[in-house]
Amino acid sequence: MSIVKRPDIKSSWYVTSIVKGMALTFRNMIYNIFHKDEMPTVNYPEEKYEYGPRFKGSHILTVKKDGSIRCTACMLCATNCPADCISITAAEHDDPEVEKFPISYEIDTLRCVYCGFCEEACPVDAVRMGPEWQQPGLNGSSFVHDIQHLTRRPNLKGGYLSILDEEERHNSGI
Amino acid sequence: MVYPWIEQTGCCELVLKSLSSSVVNWEQVGVVRKAERPEEANLLIIGGWINPEQAQNLKEVYDRMLKEKLVIAVGSCALSAAAFANDENCVAAKEILPVHYFVPGCPPRWDDILKGISAISKIGMQNKTVRDILNDSGNDHVF
Ligand code: SF4
Ligand code: SF4
């Protein structure tokens, strides 16, 4: 025969647990009133959450010191991209020493998964992941970014200069 | 003033769940509270990949929502099926529903989702009180 014991009055009396819980809540409330800086909550439109400067976000096409675009239209990034979001059209350059250059270079940010494979694949350090975030937008705004946007959008403050020049780059083996 | 209903899968689930954490104050951008049933919601947030079964489910949820419907797609998979575009098991949100706001990223940060919520709640719900929205909804049995 099994005996089921009735729960005694102590365990069914829940007021102590409520008092304990409320004590914790009020303690935290009072603490947060006097220590506002330590509060984890971010009030979004007024305060912005700061991300690290090494963050890898929107793409940047780097330019050489003379202002021309560094990309040589080798298509390695487009081949390596898992989402097929880079479309490059190569064109012949006037300068006989330069083989070709991209006449259009478009990245579809709706498809990009920000994996950074394009940056890794590029042999000439032409495409980089910049520190700023991708831009959300309403239906109908443009999400396909062209060369003009990738090299000289206002946030970049006039072109993202690749620090190394051709010769320095060869010497340092990049 | 929006009542979001959230459909989440994949990595975007983590970001969307963080919206209701203590770090994010989403009442600030006009979210009254999370809807408990699709019938109470006027904002659908879709995050993560969508397979055909789920697409069916999403359409059902969309039909059950209040009359004034807004849709936000979050993350590359929902926006355009991104890396799975050649796979028939992943469909983009814009192929099945009218999407009002796109939040790119993989996964995106929560700031952008809040930006989206505040942006589109301004279009649809201008100068409207909760009472107006409920009166317009035509769903008498709600609330
Ligand atoms: S980050 Fe990845 S998905 Fe985006 S363009 Fe580069 S390779 Fe393609
Ligand atoms: S960005 Fe780099 S990898 Fe891509 S086409 Fe230009 S040079 Fe080649």
Side-chain angles (χ1 to χ4, degrees):
Chain A
M1 192 178 74
S2 66
I3 300 165
V4 181
K5 263 196 167 179
R6 270 176 192 282
D8 56 347
I9 189 95
K10 244 187 193 170
S11 64
S12 64
W13 204 57
Y14 47 81
V15 178
T16 41
S17 341
I18 289 182
V19 170
K20 262 187 211 163
M22 292 312 281
L24 184 71
T25 309
F26 275 105
R27 199 161 63 237
N28 280 332
M29 196 187 84
I30 303 286
Y31 185 85
N32 284 341
I33 286 173
F34 291 108
H35 300 80
K36 263 196 179 148
D37 310 337
E38 290 171 33
M39 272 212 327
T41 310
V42 181
N43 295 318
Y44 165 63
E46 289 91 36
E47 296 169 27
K48 296 267 152 74
Y49 189 85
E50 286 289 326
Y51 289 83
R54 290 192 299 173
F55 178 80
K56 302 209 161 199
S58 300
H59 300 80
I60 291 169
L61 284 184
T62 54
V63 294
K64 292 178 193 161
K65 276 180 183 162
D66 59 3
S68 61
I69 191 166
R70 190 174 265 286
C71 175
T72 56
C74 67
M75 308 279 180
L76 277 179
C77 54
T79 312
N80 209 22
C81 178
D84 287 344
C85 64
I86 306 179
S87 56
I88 307 169
T89 313
E92 206 173 329
H93 205 278
D94 297 336
D95 187 353
E97 280 187 9
V98 181
E99 201 178 327
K100 52 183 181 174
F101 77 106
I103 199 161
S104 90
Y105 186 108
E106 284 177 347
I107 293 182
D108 187 350
T109 49
L110 286 190
R111 291 190 68 151
C112 180
V113 291
Y114 299 91
C115 58
F117 284 2
C118 47
E119 186 189 27
E120 275 176 35
C122 182
V124 292
D125 185 27
V127 61
R128 289 190 198 168
M129 311 290 279
E132 61 194 284
W133 272 84
Q134 51 278 4
Q135 284 300 311
L138 283 169
N139 193 356
S141 46
S142 79
F143 290 102
V144 181
H145 297 324
D146 57 355
I147 289 184
Q148 188 58 33
H149 183 269
L150 290 171
T151 55
R152 293 192 177 76
R153 58 174 172 267
N155 315 20
L156 300 179
K157 301 190 177 67
Y160 199 81
L161 199 68
S162 184
I163 303 129
L164 299 165
D165 218 350
E166 282 309 285
E167 215 177 298
E168 295 168 42
R169 194 170 61 77
H170 277 294
N171 292 340
S172 59
I174 300 172
Chain B
M1 234 172 300
V2 285
Y3 298 87
W5 175 261
I6 302 177
E7 286 285 334
Q8 49 200 3
T9 47
C11 333
C12 289
E13 185 169 359
L14 304 175
V15 180
L16 287 168
K17 277 189 173 153
S18 81
L19 282 179
S20 37
S21 74
S22 65
V23 176
V24 184
N25 188 2
W26 71 347
E27 287 84 2
Q28 193 92 341
V29 293
V31 177
V32 182
R33 59 171 169 76
K34 247 185 183 166
E36 271 141 34
R37 296 172 295 156
E39 282 90 349
E40 296 173 8
N42 57 10
L43 170 68
L44 178 61
I45 303 181
I46 307 169
W49 40 262
I50 305 163
N51 57 24
E53 252 172 62
Q54 230 187 329
Q56 209 56 40
N57 183 18
L58 272 177
K59 277 184 210 159
E60 247 167 60
V61 166
Y62 186 77
D63 289 341
R64 282 165 63 189
M65 276 163 58
L66 293 178
K67 221 186 198 169
E68 202 152 332
K69 300 166 209 237
L70 298 167
V71 181
I72 297 183
V74 171
S76 297
C77 296
L79 296 175
S80 59
F84 315 112
N86 301 328
D87 193 337
E88 62 194 24
N89 280 329
C90 192
V91 284
K94 61 184 173 192
E95 284 166 21
I96 50 173
L97 297 176
V99 180
H100 298 93
Y101 202 84
F102 293 105
V103 185
C106 190
R109 58 177 176 170
W110 49 263
D111 303 24
D112 288 341
I113 303 170
L114 293 189
K115 201 174 176 183
I117 294 174
S118 68
I120 69 166
S121 62
K122 267 176 210 146
I123 324 169
M125 310 297 169
Q126 235 163 16
N127 307 325
K128 280 199 175 176
T129 62
V130 186
R131 183 54 53 197
D132 291 337
I133 296 169
L134 293 178
N135 284 343
D136 292 348
S137 71
N139 276 356
D140 297 333
H141 59 280
V142 177
F143 297 102

